[in-house]
Each structure stands twice: as C-alpha cells, then as structure tokens.
C-alpha cells in the first residue's frame, strides 16, 4: 500500500507545473478573462491572500480535503463553460458541461456533509491555462481528473466511518469516468493514450494513489490561502 500511495508522480507533476508563476506576457494575454474563480456554495466567507485554512482532524479532515479538491475542479469547469475554447464542438461542450455539473454536485454534497466544519470557499488561480486552447483545456481537465482519482485513492484508507468511505467511493468512480472520456476526446480509439495508460494504472492493474500531504503541497500554490492539514 505504501508504494502505491507514493506512485502518483505524474498527477503531482501536472499540478506543480500548473502552479508555476505566469510570465507577464501570459498575464497580459489573458487579462481579459476572469481566471481567479471563486467556488459557489452556501458559505459566505472566502479565504483570501494570507489566510490560513485548517482541514481539521480525523474524518473531518479527509472530507475537507475532498471538499478543497472538488472546489478546485468545480471552479475550473465553471470557467471552461463560461469561456469555451476556440472550435469547441457541441458534443465536447455537452460533456464538459456535464462534468462541471457533477463537480458542483460533489462540492455541494461535501459542504453539506461537513456543515459548520466545512472550510471556507477558496479562490483559484488558473492563469497558466489558455482557456481558448482546446489542447490546454482538455489536458488540464485530464490532469485534474487523474489527480482527483489518485487523491481519493490515497485518502480513502484514512477514513474510519464506513459510510463516508462508501460516499467518497461513489465520487471517485465518477471522477474516473471523467478521466476516461477526456482521454478518449484527446486521443480517440488510441490504445497508447487510452483510458488506462501506464501513467495512471500500475503494473498490477490498480489505479495509482497519492497522499494528501503530497497533493496539498502543490494544490496550495493554486489558491490564495494556505491550507494546513494533519493528514499524512
């Protein structure tokens, strides 16, 4: 199990690259698009620059960890739907809109489940993504979905409540479906770049996983707040 938890390198590398500081040229190019997207939920407080957000402890920390990831994905797909990339087809827009709706449902479900223990809403900086580019948007989407699957796989064993494990298991299976359809859009009927490539499935046919501390170390760079966690 330990070796599997440390094998999500491709997903973490994707997040690290995405979080690198944009050049001034990139900023000016995309200054006409709203790239800092706040997740929409029930809570009114938003964690801003310099704020510290604690996930809590135990199962609450795991749920808040998942909530942060779902805020990230929902915010990304909300932006994609608002500013579709150049040349997007009707089927592609429908798929991405459906994924957006799923991520918003996941986000809101976790916020409701956490209640008063839910962390603040977060803002995310997607400045490094060219939202007019089909390749950049779809590859970023695939990266987020692969990351989500590996993150849930790594967090699941940390839960003590079997009902919560079942709930998160239902979410991660949907995330895996997202990853599969995005791979097919990017490389239709291409076995080498297919739904179960070596970058996400290990030699035993098992999805790769990543520890929360690994994911959060990179995800924090995409937010305006610092996320603190007691999770391994």
């Amino acid at each position: 199990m330990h070796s599997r938890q440390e094998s999500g390198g491709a997903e973490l590398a994707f997040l690290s690259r995405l979080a690198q500081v944009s050049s001034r040229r990139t900023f000016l190019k995309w200054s006409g698009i709203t790239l800092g997207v706040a997740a929409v939920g029930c809570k009114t407080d938003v964690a801003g620059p310099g704020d510290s957000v604690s996930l809590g402890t135990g199962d609450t920390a795991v749920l808040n960890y998942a909530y942060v990831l779902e805020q990230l994905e929902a915010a990304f797909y909300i932006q994609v739907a608002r500013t579709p990339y150049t040349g997007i087809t009707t089927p592609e827009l429908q798929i991405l809109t459906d994924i957006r709706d799923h991520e918003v449902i996941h986000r809101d479900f976790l916020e409701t489940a956490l209640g008063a223990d839910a962390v603040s809403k977060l803002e995310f900086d997607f400045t490094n993504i060219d939202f007019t580019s089909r390749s950049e948007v779809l590859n970023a989407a695939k990266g987020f979905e692969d990351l989500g699957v590996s993150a849930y796989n790594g967090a699941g064993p940390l839960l003590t409540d079997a009902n919560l494990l079942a709930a998160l298991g239902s979410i991660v299976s949907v995330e895996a479906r997202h990853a599969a359809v995005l791979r097919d859009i990017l490389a239709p009927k291409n076995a080498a770049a297919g739904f179960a490539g070596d970058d996400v499935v290990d030699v035993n046919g098992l999805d790769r996983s990543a520890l929360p501390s690994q994911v959060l170390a990179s995800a924090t760079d995409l937010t305006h707040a610092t996320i603190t966690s007691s999770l391994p």
Side-chain angles (χ1 to χ4, degrees):
M1 179 64 72
H2 181 70
S3 61
R4 286 191 62 224
Q5 287 182 323
E6 297 200 351
S7 61
E11 294 84 355
L12 295 172
F14 152 76
L15 199 56
S16 179
R17 289 195 302 272
L18 189 60
Q20 291 176 357
V21 177
S22 298
S23 66
R24 185 172 185 275
R25 180 180 178 184
T26 300
F27 172 77
L28 292 174
K29 184 177 181 182
W30 301 115
S31 59
I33 299 176
T34 303
L35 297 175
V37 184
V40 179
C42 298
K43 295 175 76 72
T44 57
D45 55 322
V46 178
D51 289 340
S52 179
V53 176
S54 173
L55 300 184
T57 59
D59 284 357
T60 295
V62 177
L63 290 185
N64 265 320
Y65 170 57
Y67 178 44
V68 167
L69 295 176
E70 294 301 340
Q71 286 194 59
L72 171 63
E73 290 186 306
F76 169 74
Y77 287 107
I78 286 171
Q79 183 63 56
V80 171
R82 284 175 178 166
T83 56
Y85 52 76
T86 303
I88 192 169
T89 66
T90 299
E92 288 173 354
L93 180 59
Q94 184 61 60
I95 289 171
L96 291 169
T97 301
D98 286 346
I99 295 177
R100 177 204 63 189
D101 293 345
H102 293 164
E103 304 298 3
V104 169
I105 290 170
H106 295 167
R107 181 199 67 196
D108 293 350
F109 165 77
L110 288 164
E111 182 179 10
T112 300
L114 282 158
D117 292 325
V119 298
S120 301
K121 291 184 288 185
L122 300 171
E123 293 181 340
F124 301 94
D125 182 2
F126 298 126
T127 327
N128 279 341
I129 300 174
D130 177 349
F131 280 91
T132 70
S133 167
R134 179 181 187 272
S135 175
E136 284 201 30
V137 169
L138 293 178
N139 276 291
K142 178 176 71 70
F144 283 130
E145 299 300 339
D146 289 346
L147 178 75
V149 173
S150 66
Y152 274 102
N153 286 342
L158 303 176
L159 286 168
T160 59
D161 187 327
N163 291 324
L164 293 178
L165 180 60
L168 294 195
S170 296
I171 292 177
V172 71
S173 61
V174 175
E175 302 289 349
R177 293 174 189 270
H178 294 168
V181 73
L182 288 165
R183 285 168 178 272
D184 189 59
I185 292 174
L186 280 164
K189 301 179 181 179
N190 185 329
F195 68 95
D198 292 341
D199 57 331
V200 290
V201 177
D202 66 22
V203 294
N204 298 310
L206 302 176
D207 255 312
R208 300 184 188 278
S209 63
L211 291 170
S213 58
Q214 296 174 299
V215 176
L216 289 172
S218 296
T220 299
D221 292 335
L222 293 177
T223 72
H224 295 294
T226 299
I227 301 172
T228 61
S229 168
S230 60
L231 298 174

